[in-house]
Amino acid sequence: MRALAVGARVLERSLDDMTLPQFRVLALIAFSPERANRLAEKAAVSRPSLTGLLDGLEARGWVQRVEVEGDRRGVNLEVTKAGAAALKKAERAMTAELDAVLREAGDDRASVIDGLNALGRAITELRHARQ
């Protein structure tokens, strides 16, 4: 577990102007614009935490709230052009950081990648089992 926490900190440090939770929420919105209540569920954060994240993303001009026609309380979330650019920059920075880490793995690189793929599959299976 310590390795996961260290890995998360390494990735977050590679982000210049965004936190890892902001990245996660921005990426979720970019891949599937939708309402905040569904987004909180997908991002595995509480509604109050999501509200704070969204306020920060909106203040930076990365996300916009769009009213749902025919639903006075409904709001969809969409990534702006600036948000898409920030997301792309963050993805490049994290990819570069991961590449640097994998270079340090040397002969163990393939094993590290296999382990990460196995972890990803296990997480996906667990998520499906809990639904």
Side-chain angles (χ1 to χ4, degrees), residues 5-20:
V6 169
R9 282 194 302 274
V10 165
L11 285 178
E12 189 156 27
R13 279 195 306 267
S14 73
L15 300 172
D16 289 336
D17 53 359
M18 181 183 303
T19 66
L20 210 47

Side-chain angles (χ1 to χ4, degrees), residues 29 33-36 39 54 63-65 75-79:
I29 296 168
E34 58 187 286
R35 293 183 182 203
L39 185 62
L54 290 174
V63 168
Q64 64 183 2
R65 291 174 166 109
V75 175
N76 278 336
L77 302 163
E78 296 177 357
V79 173

Side-chain angles (χ1 to χ4, degrees), residues 42-57:
K42 283 185 173 183
V45 298
S46 67
R47 289 277 297 165
S49 294
L50 179 64
T51 298
L53 284 168
L54 290 174
D55 288 347
L57 293 171

Side-chain angles (χ1 to χ4, degrees), residues 7-127:
R9 282 194 302 274
V10 165
L11 285 178
E12 189 156 27
R13 279 195 306 267
S14 73
L15 300 172
D16 289 336
D17 53 359
M18 181 183 303
T19 66
L20 210 47
Q22 286 175 326
F23 173 82
R24 189 173 66 240
V25 169
L26 191 60
L28 284 170
I29 296 168
F31 291 113
S32 178
E34 58 187 286
R35 293 183 182 203
N37 60 343
R38 289 275 302 144
L39 185 62
E41 191 177 296
K42 283 185 173 183
V45 298
S46 67
R47 289 277 297 165
S49 294
L50 179 64
T51 298
L53 284 168
L54 290 174
D55 288 347
L57 293 171
E58 189 173 36
R60 300 192 80 165
W62 293 345
V63 168
Q64 64 183 2
R65 291 174 166 109
V66 179
E67 291 182 18
V68 175
E69 196 171 316
D71 184 351
R72 293 185 323 178
R73 295 186 323 167
V75 175
N76 278 336
L77 302 163
E78 296 177 357
V79 173
T80 64
K81 285 184 181 184
L87 183 59
K88 188 174 227 173
K89 178 182 174 189
E91 287 171 339
R92 282 193 306 263
M94 286 195 296
T95 298
E97 191 65 26
L98 284 172
D99 283 345
V101 168
L102 288 173
R103 274 193 304 278
E104 290 298 315
D107 292 340
D108 292 329
R109 180 184 174 110
S111 296
V112 171
I113 291 171
D114 288 344
L116 290 171
N117 286 329
L119 179 61
R121 286 190 302 275
I123 290 169
T124 299
E125 289 173 15
L126 182 60
R127 189 174 357 151

